[in-house]
Amino acid sequence: QVQLVESGGGSAQAGGSLRLSCAASGRTLSRFTMGWFRQAPGKEREFVAAIIWIGGLLHYADSVKGRFTISRHGAENLAYLDMNDLKREDTAVYYCAVGPSKLSLRVPDEYEYWGQGTQVTVSS
């Protein structure tokens, strides 16, 4: 079993920055994709960003491209989501997820493991 733990959430003002972390523990996967999703109250879970671990290919949702950056530390199975120029519409619970290296990375059902989520609240 793989366990994922998100951290770094909190409150920020519009235009500010936060850094989220996702740490994997338990059974180690040799090849995988790690993604970030978010869900606001009353809305569906939406794709934010993903990284294919081997090779480091990056993908971003249009809504965060140019503002958010996903990165990795492979030795620790650790990923970061650096969020800059935050907007009120970024307010949501952010989830880390892991799935096979080759998947439809914008589709939640493609991922096998999920963290419990971390709250991000942006005020104006």
Side-chain angles (χ1 to χ4, degrees):
Q1 300 293 322
V2 174
Q3 298 179 25
L4 302 174
V5 178
E6 303 95 338
S7 61
S11 299
Q13 294 183 335
S17 301
L18 286 173
R19 189 182 211 186
L20 305 184
S21 299
C22 175
S25 62
R27 184 175 180 179
T28 302
L29 302 177
S30 59
R31 297 178 180 270
F32 60 92
T33 294
M34 182 173 288
W36 286 97
F37 292 79
R38 66 187 183 186
Q39 188 166 22
K43 297 184 178 180
E44 295 183 353
R45 189 185 307 153
E46 66 173 342
F47 171 79
V48 176
I51 180 169
I52 300 174
W53 214 257
I54 303 301
L57 188 62
L58 309 177
H59 299 268
Y60 296 97
D62 289 341
S63 60
V64 305
K65 190 174 183 180
R67 298 190 298 119
F68 291 10
T69 302
I70 187 171
S71 59
R72 63 179 178 176
H73 283 87
E76 296 82 21
N77 289 333
L78 184 67
Y80 300 106
L81 184 69
D82 290 303
M83 305 185 295
N84 300 304
D85 191 24
L86 285 164
K87 305 178 183 299
R88 288 193 66 182
E89 50 264 41
D90 295 320
T91 296
V93 176
Y94 283 70
Y95 297 92
C96 178
V98 167
S101 181
K102 296 183 179 180
L103 44 61
S104 298
L105 49 77
R106 296 174 181 264
V107 180
D109 287 347
E110 293 285 296
Y111 293 79
E112 298 179 8
Y113 305 98
W114 292 82
Q116 78 289 340
T118 185
Q119 177 71 48
V120 171
T121 302
V122 182
S123 62
S124 60

